[in-house]
Amino acid sequence: MSTSPKPLTDEEEAAAPPPPVPIAVDDASDRRRWWVLIVIAIAQLMVVLDVTIVNIAMPSAQRDLGFSDGNRQWIVTAYALAFGSLLLLGGRLADLFGRKIAFLVGIAGFAGSSALAGAAPNFEVLVTGRVLQGLFGALLAPAALAVLNVTFTTAKDRARAFGVFGAIGGAGGAFGLLLGGLLTEHLNWRWTLYVNLVFAVIAFAGGLVLMRKGAPAVRPKLDLPGTVLGSAGLFGLVYGFANAETYDWSSPMTWATLSAAVILLAAFAWWQTRAPHPLLPLRVLADRTRGASFLVMAIASAGLFGVSLFLTYYLQSSRGFTPVRTGLAFLPMMGSLMVVAQLSISVLLPKVGPKILVPLGLLTSATGLALLTALDLNSGYATGVLPGLLLIGSGIGLSLPPAMSLSIHGIRVEDAGVGSAAVNTMQQVGGAIGTALLNTLAASAATAYLVGRTPTRATVAQAQLHSYSTAYWWSAGLFVAGAVIAALMFRKGRPESGEPSGPIVHM
C-alpha cells in the first residue's frame, strides 16, 4: 500500500534547497576543447621535431660555421641536457603559476631561442640558442600535456585526444627528418630553426584566445632543494651518457659524472619523502600502472633511436639517399603509427587493456627491427626497408599512446604539471641514454669487424652495415625488455573509465 507524500508547509518549502538545475551541454565549449587540442598538437610537434630536424642540417651548419667533428654532437646534446634536466622544474612551475601562462611563456621563449640559434654567427651562439630552446621547451612540454589532461576528462574524449597527442609524439621525430631535409636542400640549414617561429605564432595565438586561465586556487610552494638535486642529477645522467658517446666508456669523466648523477638522484628521492612541498610527490610514481607506463616510455624511447638514427645513416651513407628522399622514406612509418594510434587508444585499449596491448605493440616493433638487420648494400626500399618500418610504426602506435594516456590518468589536478613533466623526462632521458648506448655499441661492432681485415672501401662499407645491424638488434632487445616489464607490471583488465581524482578544470 502506498501513501502520498505529506505536503510541505510554507515555512518548510521556503527552507528546502532548490532543485538541481540540469547541466546543458555547451556546444561552443565542446568545440573550444578540440581547438585547444589542435593548438597543443602544434606546440608538441614543434618540441618533438626539434630533436631531429637539425640532424640532417648538421653537415651544412658545420661547413658554414666551421666547428669541429668533436663539437658537432653538442648541437644535439645541448638541447637534450637543458630539456631533460629542467622538465620537473618546468612542470612544477606550470602548477605554480598556471598552465596557460607557462604554455605561453614557453612558446614565446622557444620562438626567441630558435631565432637566436638560426641567426648564429658562430658555434658558441648556436649552442647557446639550443640550450635556451631546451630550457623553454622544458616549461612548454609539461604545460601542454597538463592542459590536455585537465581539458579532456571523459573516457571517450581522452582516448581521442591522447591518440592524437601520442601519434604526434611518436611521428614527430620522423617528420623532423623530412622537414629538415626539405628545408636544408631547398633553402639552408638556418631554416630548420627559423621554421619554429611559424609553429610558435600559430600556437601562441591559439593558446592566448582559446585557453582560459588555470591558476590553482592553492599555489604549491617551490621545493628548492629538490629542484637542485633533481635537475643536477638528471643533468649528470644525460651528460654522462653523452660524454660516453664522445670519449668512450673508459673515460674517468664518464664514470665520475654517472656516479655523481646516481648519488644526486638517490638524494633527490630521499628528500622527496621528507620535503613539505616536494618537487615530484612520490604519489605520482607510486601507482603501479603509472610506473609501468613511465618505464615503457623510457625503454621504447631508447629503442626508437635504432630506427631514426641508424636507418638514416644507412639510407644516406650506404644507399646514397638525398636528405629529402631519406625523410620521405620514413613517411610510411609515420602513417602506420598515426592510424594504429587512434585504433589502439579508442578501440583496443578499452576492450583488451594495457597488459595485452602494450606488450603486443612493443613485440611488433621488435619484429620490425629484426627485419632491418637483414639489410645489405643492395637491399631495395620496398622489399627490404618498408616492411620493417610498417611493423615498427604499427607497434609504436599500439604501445606508446596507451602508455602515455595511462601515465597521467587519474592524477591529481594539482600534480598535473609535474606528472606531465615526469612523462617527458622519461622520454628525453630514455632517448639520450639510447643514443649514447647504441652509438657506442655500433662503433664497437664496426671496430671489431675490421680486426684482421684490410680496410678497403668494400670492407668499411660492410663494417658500417654490421654496426647498423648491431644497433637494430640491441634496439629490438630494448623493446622486448619493455614488453616483459609491461606484461609483468600492468594490471589485468581494462583501464578504469572514471574521471581523474580531484576537481576538474575545463579549459
Side-chain angles (χ1 to χ4, degrees), residues 443-474:
S444 300
T447 302
Y449 184 88
L450 291 172
V451 173
R453 293 183 171 91
T454 303
T456 62
R457 184 175 179 179
T459 305
V460 171
Q462 288 297 325
Q464 287 181 325
L465 281 177
H466 180 64
S467 71
Y468 303 154
S469 178
T470 300
Y472 299 146
W473 278 123
W474 278 95

Side-chain angles (χ1 to χ4, degrees), residues 197-289:
L197 274 69
V198 178
F199 292 115
V201 168
I202 298 172
F204 187 91
L208 188 64
V209 173
L210 295 169
M211 294 180 186
R212 294 170 183 164
K213 291 183 179 180
V218 179
R219 295 180 184 271
K221 294 182 179 180
L222 189 60
D223 174 19
L224 290 178
T227 299
V228 173
L229 290 171
S231 298
L234 290 172
F235 180 91
L237 190 65
V238 176
Y239 181 84
F241 278 97
N243 192 72
E245 180 185 355
T246 305
Y247 298 108
D248 204 328
W249 287 100
S250 60
S251 169
M253 179 62 72
T254 298
W255 289 107
T257 306
L258 290 175
S259 299
V262 171
I263 294 172
L264 287 168
L265 290 175
F268 170 76
W270 170 83
W271 173 251
Q272 295 309 285
T273 64
R274 289 159 175 79
H277 305 283
L279 176 67
L280 178 61
L282 295 186
R283 60 177 176 267
V284 173
L285 304 177
D287 182 79
R288 178 176 166 181
T289 296

Side-chain angles (χ1 to χ4, degrees), residues 149 158 290 405-413 498-502:
N149 186 46
R158 281 176 63 87
R290 195 174 300 130
S405 175
L406 292 171
S407 66
I408 57 174
H409 180 61
I411 201 168
R412 297 184 184 182
V413 171
E499 313 295 352
S501 58

Side-chain angles (χ1 to χ4, degrees), residues 8-398:
L8 298 175
T9 65
D10 292 340
E11 291 80 4
E12 290 173 329
E13 187 173 356
V21 179
I23 300 175
V25 177
D26 188 343
D27 291 337
S29 296
D30 188 64
R31 287 194 299 271
R32 178 191 290 267
R33 288 187 301 141
W34 295 107
W35 280 109
V36 169
L37 174 61
I38 294 174
V39 171
I40 293 172
I42 293 171
Q44 171 72 355
L45 178 62
M46 181 180 69
V47 172
V48 171
L49 68 84
D50 223 70
V51 177
T52 59
I53 194 171
V54 297
N55 288 356
I56 289 180
M58 197 84 72
S60 299
Q62 187 174 2
R63 287 192 300 268
D64 191 9
L65 300 181
F67 52 85
S68 67
D69 289 345
N71 288 331
R72 181 174 56 193
Q73 62 106 8
W74 286 106
I75 306 301
V76 176
T77 304
Y79 180 82
L81 278 171
F83 197 6
S85 61
L86 295 174
L87 272 165
L88 290 177
L89 174 60
R92 185 49 89 189
L93 290 176
D95 291 332
L96 184 62
F97 296 107
R99 284 111 207 183
K100 178 177 180 177
I101 293 176
F103 181 86
L104 295 177
V105 171
I107 284 282
F110 200 94
S113 305
S114 300
L116 174 65
N122 53 50
F123 171 75
E124 290 76 15
V125 175
L126 178 58
V127 171
T128 300
R130 292 289 285 168
V131 170
L132 291 174
Q133 278 186 309
L135 187 153
F136 285 104
L139 180 63
L140 170 62
L145 190 54
V147 170
L148 188 71
N149 186 46
V150 298
T151 300
F152 295 91
T153 56
T154 65
K156 184 177 180 181
D157 287 349
R158 281 176 63 87
R160 291 176 180 175
F162 276 94
V164 172
F165 192 84
I168 290 173
F175 180 68
L177 295 172
L178 172 60
L179 187 59
L182 287 169
L183 293 172
T184 302
E185 197 164 309
H186 296 291
L187 294 172
N188 61 56
W189 68 270
R190 296 182 185 276
W191 279 95
T192 62
L193 295 158
Y194 289 148
V195 72
N196 289 327
L197 274 69
V198 178
F199 292 115
V201 168
I202 298 172
F204 187 91
L208 188 64
V209 173
L210 295 169
M211 294 180 186
R212 294 170 183 164
K213 291 183 179 180
V218 179
R219 295 180 184 271
K221 294 182 179 180
L222 189 60
D223 174 19
L224 290 178
T227 299
V228 173
L229 290 171
S231 298
L234 290 172
F235 180 91
L237 190 65
V238 176
Y239 181 84
F241 278 97
N243 192 72
E245 180 185 355
T246 305
Y247 298 108
D248 204 328
W249 287 100
S250 60
S251 169
M253 179 62 72
T254 298
W255 289 107
T257 306
L258 290 175
S259 299
V262 171
I263 294 172
L264 287 168
L265 290 175
F268 170 76
W270 170 83
W271 173 251
Q272 295 309 285
T273 64
R274 289 159 175 79
H277 305 283
L279 176 67
L280 178 61
L282 295 186
R283 60 177 176 267
V284 173
L285 304 177
D287 182 79
R288 178 176 166 181
T289 296
R290 195 174 300 130
S293 298
F294 284 160
L295 288 174
V296 165
M297 285 186 291
I299 292 173
S301 296
L304 268 176
F305 278 83
V307 187
S308 62
L309 186 63
F310 293 98
L311 190 56
T312 298
Y313 289 160
Y314 169 77
L315 292 174
Q316 291 196 39
S317 301
S318 301
R319 301 292 294 126
F321 279 33
T322 64
V324 172
R325 193 179 176 192
T326 301
L328 290 171
F330 283 93
L331 282 180
M333 185 182 82
M334 293 167 55
S336 62
L337 190 157
M338 297 184 76
V339 170
V340 175
Q342 286 296 322
L343 176 67
S344 68
I345 203 165
S346 300
V347 179
L348 298 178
L349 181 63
K351 291 184 177 180
V352 302
K355 194 174 185 69
I356 296 175
L357 186 62
V358 175
L360 177 63
L362 294 172
L363 291 176
T364 301
S365 293
T367 303
L369 282 160
L371 292 180
L372 295 182
T373 62
L375 295 176
D376 57 37
L377 296 175
N378 300 312
S379 296
Y381 174 78
T383 57
V385 178
L386 183 60
L389 283 179
L390 291 174
L391 283 174
I392 293 167
S394 299
I396 295 170
L398 283 174

